[in-house]
Amino acid sequence: MEPEYRSINATVSHVNTGTAVPRDQLPWPGRSGYPVMTLPKQHLDAVDDAPVTSFTGLTLFISFAAAFKLKDRINESLSFFKRWLPYSEADHVLSIAANLYVGGEHLEDMAELQHSEAVLRMFGACRLPDPTTEGDFLRRFETAGEGSVEALRRTVDGVEEAVWKKLRKRVGKRGRKMPLATVDLDGHIKESLGVQREGADFSYDGRFGFQPLAITLAQTGEALALLNRPGNGRSSDGVAEKLDEVLPRLKPFFESILVRGDSDFDRADIRAVCTKHSVNFAFVGRDDSSHGRTREAMMIEEELWRPFRSRAERQQEERRQRPGYKARKKKPNRRRQKARERGYKELYQARQWVTEVDFDPEGEEATHRLVIRRQLVEHREGQVHLFDEYRYHFIVTDLPLEMGMTAVVDETYKRCDQENIIEQLGSGVAAWAMPVREYLGNCAWLEMARLAWNIGKWIAALALPREVSRWEWKRFRRAFVLVVAEVVKGGRQIRTRISRGHRHWSLMIEALGILQRR
């Protein structure tokens, strides 16, 4: 039975769930007292005509591309060449995306796919583009103009909507929407060591490079948009215009939408776009001289504050209430011990409270909620308690009043998981590599990296177990991409023979069948 679409926002990416070998099935050495590792002598031989590859996961990549007609979509949207000699536009885009998908970090890494007979058989290709040819292709976006990048972006958007349409059918009744889309916003400063990068500039902290914008979907981790920008801007620059494009794409497929972001996204134009499209927002509120929110919070009467405990504290309390719970001995805080031994100044959060007031922003008709969290911070020096300090944190939101203040704080700060996605976009598919000097060429690279990243997320959502969508990219690649197999051509078919020794072989075969049944 094909897996249904589920909201898995609460499942963190590093938890090893559902993949461990049962304890009673763990193998043991043949004789008692023998070591597990014996380190036998190794022999390495070379043979002729052995179509073997370690990139077996490309079978899922290729099957997805075929099922959603990626090649036709790309060739229809991009028209750089009058004649294909011999590569089409889709050949270039899919080659770069496949290189990033399997772990390539630079254009030069294309050579590993280019010279693999097994990979050529899997793609049904006589050859793949050379790294220098791919660099020339990226530079064509500069001569073709901004419209070419937008055309590629619309193509990836179209595939994304086709995937959502298929996922929507699995929710239940035909045409029923998926429950919730949580859209996270954040910028990322990517320092450039090159001095000839077009569009690069100095960021607020003096780094020379770019500041791409990442708009992601929390439920699956897919990238809704990756927008390249000079490094001298703010994280929120251009976000209102981009949200105005992204939100209408989500509306037909999701019952409700929540937009989240840090304090830099606490802006009137972004709130206006959310209101325009009738979606909720929850932004960490800023407090500066123009707002004076801290002064107002300090004037709130004491009886209006309610005690607040963090999610971790509440989860720990729930575990204590379970039958059979046994408390473990608490391990010492080595960091705090050393700080006190050396007389360092230490900040200790003692208690927290929460309250809310109405927020009437100037120039806006709507009244929003301003949820305020107050922290009591104790300042210590060694063992000596010096003084107490109150700190205030703000959340600007239009979430309904039925959602309590604690739930609003929880939901807003779940956005911090997007930092993991941004980091993995760089370490997993090298999205921030920016390999060419031309600005629009690097914008196109971001779209191809987004395609590679999303294909992995879409395959997981369509055909793999629930928790795979939230795995770290490195773990996903080791489980479902970097798998050794033999590729055999015969009977007008390509067969990839995977060893049953691979722990996920059955899942890969099942996933391939699901993708090909589309």
Side-chain angles (χ1 to χ4, degrees):
M1 183 176 179
E2 297 181 4
E4 296 181 354
Y5 177 88
R6 286 157 293 227
S7 175
I8 50 176
N9 190 39
T11 305
V12 293
S13 57
H14 62 272
V15 174
N16 186 10
T17 57
T19 58
V21 178
R23 188 176 296 275
D24 58 352
Q25 297 181 18
L26 290 173
W28 286 78
R31 293 170 61 181
S32 178
Y34 268 46
V36 174
M37 292 187 183
T38 59
L39 303 180
K41 184 178 180 180
Q42 306 297 306
H43 300 275
L44 186 62
D45 299 319
V47 297
D48 296 328
D49 193 23
V52 177
T53 181
S54 60
F55 303 135
T56 305
L58 284 175
T59 56
L60 302 181
F61 178 98
I62 294 168
S63 296
F64 178 91
F68 288 89
K69 297 181 173 57
L70 258 179
K71 187 171 182 178
D72 294 338
R73 290 172 182 263
I74 295 170
N75 284 334
E76 289 173 3
S77 63
L78 299 180
S79 56
F80 291 161
F81 309 123
K82 294 183 179 180
R83 295 177 60 189
W84 294 343
L85 294 173
Y87 305 114
S88 68
E89 290 83 355
D91 293 331
H92 288 284
V93 173
L94 291 178
S95 294
I96 293 177
N99 179 41
L100 298 174
Y101 184 82
V102 301
E105 298 180 357
H106 308 282
L107 289 175
E108 291 77 6
D109 296 330
M110 270 296 303
E112 196 164 356
L113 301 180
Q114 185 185 16
H115 297 290
S116 172
E117 176 62 27
V119 170
L120 293 177
R121 288 187 180 185
M122 293 165 70
F123 274 101
C126 60
R127 57 194 275 198
L128 290 178
D130 189 79
T132 56
T133 306
E134 296 289 34
D136 293 337
F137 175 73
L138 289 175
R139 295 181 184 94
R140 285 181 178 269
F141 285 87
E142 190 72 22
T143 58
E146 182 70 30
S148 59
V149 178
E150 288 299 323
L152 179 58
R153 184 174 295 131
R154 288 193 298 270
T155 301
V156 181
D157 292 346
V159 178
E160 193 165 43
E161 292 169 18
V163 173
W164 291 341
K165 184 176 181 179
K166 186 170 181 62
L167 289 171
R168 186 180 62 181
K169 292 179 181 179
R170 300 182 181 182
V171 173
K173 297 180 181 179
R174 183 176 296 274
R176 179 182 171 187
K177 295 182 180 181
M178 292 177 282
L180 173 66
T182 305
V183 179
D184 290 329
L185 314 171
D186 207 355
H188 171 69
I189 296 178
K190 170 58 181 175
E191 185 176 9
S192 173
L193 299 180
V195 298
Q196 299 178 345
R197 298 295 175 90
E198 182 184 5
D201 210 328
F202 290 100
S203 64
Y204 72 95
D205 57 359
R207 286 182 286 175
F208 183 74
F210 301 96
Q211 186 176 172
L213 168 69
I215 303 179
T216 61
L217 184 64
Q219 277 70 23
T220 59
E222 62 193 272
L224 300 174
L226 296 179
L227 183 65
N228 198 17
R229 303 174 299 178
N232 65 326
R234 291 172 51 184
S235 293
S236 57
D237 286 348
V239 171
E241 294 79 5
K242 200 63 190 173
L243 271 180
D244 206 17
E245 300 173 8
V246 170
L247 294 178
R249 295 199 295 113
L250 292 163
K251 294 281 286 185
F253 301 97
F254 294 91
E255 293 178 359
S256 59
I257 301 172
L258 173 64
V259 180
R260 304 184 300 198
D262 61 27
S263 60
D264 198 54
F265 299 91
D266 178 19
R267 291 175 43 162
D269 57 344
I270 298 178
R271 293 194 297 267
V273 170
C274 294
T275 303
K276 170 185 174 182
H277 294 284
S278 302
V279 304
N280 295 119
F281 59 82
F283 301 126
V284 177
R286 65 177 63 192
D287 182 44
D288 52 31
S289 57
S290 63
H291 292 80
R293 289 173 178 164
T294 297
R295 294 193 301 272
E296 296 177 6
M298 294 173 66
M299 299 174 63
I300 296 177
E301 298 178 0
E302 190 63 32
E303 58 266 19
L304 297 179
W305 293 98
R306 299 290 181 266
F308 174 80
R309 293 187 303 168
S310 66
R311 271 192 306 150
E313 292 172 334
R314 281 178 273 128
Q315 290 170 355
Q316 178 63 25
E317 183 62 29
E318 290 177 6
R319 286 194 291 269
R320 292 195 186 101
Q321 301 300 326
R322 293 174 186 169
Y325 170 80
K326 293 182 180 180
R328 293 187 297 178
K329 183 179 179 181
K330 193 172 182 180
K331 297 181 180 179
N333 189 324
R334 307 291 186 186
R335 182 179 182 275
R336 184 172 296 165
Q337 285 180 355
K338 291 295 183 183
R340 291 179 177 177
E341 288 174 5
R342 301 185 181 183
Y344 291 167
K345 290 184 179 179
E346 178 188 357
L347 303 183
Y348 177 77
Q349 179 179 286
R351 294 181 61 189
Q352 295 188 82
W353 298 265
V354 66
T355 190
E356 71 171 283
V357 296
D358 290 339
F359 173 52
D360 298 306
E362 186 178 353
E364 299 181 40
E365 297 181 359
T367 298
H368 307 308
R369 300 169 65 186
L370 182 65
V371 178
I372 308 172
R373 183 163 55 100
R374 183 177 70 175
Q375 296 175 320
L376 173 60
V377 179
E378 296 180 356
H379 289 246
R380 299 176 180 175
E381 187 171 341
Q383 298 285 357
V384 180
H385 181 193
L386 299 178
F387 60 91
D388 293 334
E389 174 191 7
Y390 285 105
R391 295 185 177 181
Y392 297 88
H393 303 274
F394 306 91
I395 295 173
V396 178
T397 182
D398 66 345
L399 286 168
L401 292 174
E402 292 77 15
M403 191 171 186
M405 295 178 290
T406 298
V408 168
V409 174
D410 289 347
E411 192 62 41
T412 302
Y413 282 95
K414 284 179 184 177
R415 58 155 291 277
C416 297
D417 186 55
Q418 193 192 22
E419 298 291 344
N420 295 325
I421 296 176
I422 291 174
E423 187 277 329
Q424 291 174 54
L425 278 166
S427 63
V429 295
W432 318 131
M434 311 289 186
V436 295
R437 288 177 296 184
E438 291 74 15
Y439 178 73
L440 291 181
N442 288 325
C443 293
W445 171 273
L446 274 184
E447 286 303 316
M448 297 175 203
R450 176 190 166 209
L451 177 61
W453 171 271
N454 283 353
I455 285 179
K457 298 300 180 181
W458 293 332
I459 290 173
L462 290 168
L464 291 173
R466 171 179 179 174
E467 70 267 16
V468 176
S469 292
R470 297 299 298 154
W471 280 6
E472 290 184 355
W473 189 260
K474 179 178 69 174
R475 183 180 178 193
F476 172 81
R477 181 177 285 141
R478 286 183 176 275
F480 299 107
V481 180
L482 301 182
V483 182
V484 176
E486 182 182 23
V487 183
V488 180
K489 184 177 182 181
R492 298 181 181 179
Q493 292 183 342
I494 300 296
R495 293 187 176 275
T496 303
R497 295 174 176 172
I498 185 175
S499 170
R500 292 179 185 269
H502 180 62
R503 64 189 302 191
H504 298 301
W505 69 269
S506 60
L507 290 176
M508 293 188 67
I509 292 176
E510 181 182 0
L512 184 66
I514 292 172
L515 292 174
Q516 292 179 343
R517 286 199 300 269
R518 182 185 181 274

